[in-house]
mmCIF file of all heavy atoms in Angstrom:
data_model
loop_
_atom_site.group_PDB
_atom_site.id
_atom_site.type_symbol
_atom_site.label_atom_id
_atom_site.label_comp_id
_atom_site.label_asym_id
_atom_site.label_seq_id
_atom_site.Cartn_x
_atom_site.Cartn_y
_atom_site.Cartn_z
ATOM 1 N N PHE E 1261 70.194 70.379 65.701
ATOM 2 C CA PHE E 1261 70.386 70.364 67.151
ATOM 3 C C PHE E 1261 71.202 69.151 67.615
ATOM 4 O O PHE E 1261 71.703 69.142 68.733
ATOM 5 C CB PHE E 1261 69.031 70.391 67.869
ATOM 6 C CG PHE E 1261 68.342 71.723 67.800
ATOM 7 C CD1 PHE E 1261 67.805 72.181 66.601
ATOM 8 C CD2 PHE E 1261 68.236 72.532 68.919
ATOM 9 C CE1 PHE E 1261 67.171 73.416 66.517
ATOM 10 C CE2 PHE E 1261 67.600 73.770 68.849
ATOM 11 C CZ PHE E 1261 67.072 74.210 67.648
ATOM 12 N N THR E 1262 71.280 68.126 66.774
ATOM 13 C CA THR E 1262 71.959 66.912 67.225
ATOM 14 C C THR E 1262 73.144 66.510 66.361
ATOM 15 O O THR E 1262 73.961 65.708 66.794
ATOM 16 C CB THR E 1262 70.989 65.711 67.255
ATOM 17 O OG1 THR E 1262 70.204 65.743 66.077
ATOM 18 C CG2 THR E 1262 70.084 65.758 68.455
ATOM 19 N N LEU E 1263 73.236 67.018 65.145
ATOM 20 C CA LEU E 1263 74.216 66.436 64.220
ATOM 21 C C LEU E 1263 75.399 67.332 63.861
ATOM 22 O O LEU E 1263 76.293 66.897 63.140
ATOM 23 C CB LEU E 1263 73.509 65.972 62.935
ATOM 24 C CG LEU E 1263 72.465 64.859 63.142
ATOM 25 C CD1 LEU E 1263 71.854 64.446 61.813
ATOM 26 C CD2 LEU E 1263 73.068 63.655 63.838
ATOM 27 N N VAL E 1264 75.433 68.561 64.334
ATOM 28 C CA VAL E 1264 76.550 69.429 63.947
ATOM 29 C C VAL E 1264 77.206 70.135 65.143
ATOM 30 O O VAL E 1264 77.804 71.188 64.988
ATOM 31 C CB VAL E 1264 76.126 70.474 62.885
ATOM 32 C CG1 VAL E 1264 75.716 69.781 61.595
ATOM 33 C CG2 VAL E 1264 75.000 71.364 63.386
ATOM 34 N N GLY E 1265 77.105 69.496 66.313
ATOM 35 C CA GLY E 1265 77.816 70.038 67.464
ATOM 36 C C GLY E 1265 77.083 71.169 68.156
ATOM 37 O O GLY E 1265 76.062 71.652 67.675
ATOM 38 N N TYR E 1266 77.622 71.570 69.289
ATOM 39 C CA TYR E 1266 77.005 72.622 70.107
ATOM 40 C C TYR E 1266 78.017 73.055 71.152
ATOM 41 O O TYR E 1266 79.043 72.415 71.360
ATOM 42 C CB TYR E 1266 75.727 72.085 70.788
ATOM 43 C CG TYR E 1266 75.973 70.797 71.548
ATOM 44 C CD1 TYR E 1266 76.459 70.809 72.853
ATOM 45 C CD2 TYR E 1266 75.785 69.550 70.933
ATOM 46 C CE1 TYR E 1266 76.721 69.643 73.531
ATOM 47 C CE2 TYR E 1266 76.054 68.371 71.610
ATOM 48 C CZ TYR E 1266 76.522 68.426 72.915
ATOM 49 O OH TYR E 1266 76.810 67.263 73.584
ATOM 50 N N ARG E 1267 77.701 74.176 71.801
ATOM 51 C CA ARG E 1267 78.540 74.650 72.907
ATOM 52 C C ARG E 1267 78.142 73.878 74.157
ATOM 53 O O ARG E 1267 76.976 73.918 74.556
ATOM 54 C CB ARG E 1267 78.321 76.143 73.136
ATOM 55 C CG ARG E 1267 79.304 76.778 74.118
ATOM 56 C CD ARG E 1267 78.870 78.180 74.556
ATOM 57 N NE ARG E 1267 78.682 79.123 73.466
ATOM 58 C CZ ARG E 1267 79.675 79.752 72.815
ATOM 59 N NH1 ARG E 1267 80.913 79.543 73.169
ATOM 60 N NH2 ARG E 1267 79.405 80.588 71.830
ATOM 61 N N PRO E 1268 79.091 73.149 74.760
ATOM 62 C CA PRO E 1268 78.696 72.305 75.881
ATOM 63 C C PRO E 1268 78.242 73.114 77.101
ATOM 64 O O PRO E 1268 78.739 74.205 77.346
ATOM 65 C CB PRO E 1268 79.969 71.512 76.204
ATOM 66 C CG PRO E 1268 81.083 72.219 75.531
ATOM 67 C CD PRO E 1268 80.498 73.000 74.394
ATOM 68 N N GLN E 1269 77.313 72.535 77.807
ATOM 69 C CA GLN E 1269 76.860 73.103 79.078
ATOM 70 C C GLN E 1269 78.038 73.173 80.048
ATOM 71 O O GLN E 1269 78.911 72.301 80.024
ATOM 72 C CB GLN E 1269 75.773 72.193 79.645
ATOM 73 C CG GLN E 1269 75.154 72.702 80.926
ATOM 74 C CD GLN E 1269 74.298 71.640 81.588
ATOM 75 O OE1 GLN E 1269 74.061 70.576 81.023
ATOM 76 N NE2 GLN E 1269 73.833 71.931 82.789
ATOM 77 N N ALA E 1270 78.058 74.183 80.905
ATOM 78 C CA ALA E 1270 79.150 74.294 81.865
ATOM 79 C C ALA E 1270 78.673 74.868 83.191
ATOM 80 O O ALA E 1270 77.829 75.759 83.213
ATOM 81 C CB ALA E 1270 80.271 75.163 81.298
ATOM 82 N N ILE E 1271 79.220 74.322 84.252
ATOM 83 C CA ILE E 1271 78.968 74.834 85.598
ATOM 84 C C ILE E 1271 80.324 75.291 86.125
ATOM 85 O O ILE E 1271 81.284 74.514 86.129
ATOM 86 C CB ILE E 1271 78.384 73.747 86.508
ATOM 87 C CG1 ILE E 1271 77.075 73.231 85.918
ATOM 88 C CG2 ILE E 1271 78.177 74.284 87.926
ATOM 89 C CD1 ILE E 1271 76.609 71.905 86.501
ATOM 90 N N GLN E 1272 80.406 76.554 86.509
ATOM 91 C CA GLN E 1272 81.712 77.095 86.897
ATOM 92 C C GLN E 1272 81.659 77.735 88.264
ATOM 93 O O GLN E 1272 80.760 78.515 88.559
ATOM 94 C CB GLN E 1272 82.157 78.158 85.887
ATOM 95 C CG GLN E 1272 82.269 77.637 84.474
ATOM 96 C CD GLN E 1272 82.636 78.749 83.512
ATOM 97 O OE1 GLN E 1272 83.777 79.146 83.434
ATOM 98 N NE2 GLN E 1272 81.658 79.252 82.789
ATOM 99 N N LYS E 1273 82.669 77.411 89.031
ATOM 100 C CA LYS E 1273 82.787 78.014 90.342
ATOM 101 C C LYS E 1273 83.988 78.944 90.306
ATOM 102 O O LYS E 1273 85.066 78.558 89.867
ATOM 103 C CB LYS E 1273 83.012 76.903 91.372
ATOM 104 C CG LYS E 1273 82.713 77.324 92.752
ATOM 105 C CD LYS E 1273 82.382 76.154 93.655
ATOM 106 C CE LYS E 1273 81.774 76.720 94.903
ATOM 107 N NZ LYS E 1273 82.409 76.629 96.098
ATOM 108 N N ILE E 1274 83.777 80.173 90.721
ATOM 109 C CA ILE E 1274 84.919 81.094 90.827
ATOM 110 C C ILE E 1274 84.993 81.625 92.244
ATOM 111 O O ILE E 1274 84.022 82.160 92.772
ATOM 112 C CB ILE E 1274 84.811 82.261 89.825
ATOM 113 C CG1 ILE E 1274 84.887 81.715 88.398
ATOM 114 C CG2 ILE E 1274 85.921 83.280 90.088
ATOM 115 C CD1 ILE E 1274 85.627 82.547 87.407
ATOM 116 N N ASN E 1275 86.139 81.437 92.829
ATOM 117 C CA ASN E 1275 86.434 82.022 94.125
ATOM 118 C C ASN E 1275 87.577 82.998 93.898
ATOM 119 O O ASN E 1275 88.581 82.663 93.263
ATOM 120 C CB ASN E 1275 86.849 80.956 95.128
ATOM 121 C CG ASN E 1275 85.751 79.926 95.324
ATOM 122 O OD1 ASN E 1275 84.571 80.234 95.182
ATOM 123 N ND2 ASN E 1275 86.146 78.706 95.619
#
Side-chain angles (χ1 to χ4, degrees):
Chain E
F1261 287 71
T1262 43
L1263 297 182
V1264 296
Y1266 52 84
R1267 189 193 303 282
Q1269 183 192 353
I1271 301 164
Q1272 301 177 78
K1273 199 156 194 247
I1274 295 217
N1275 300 331

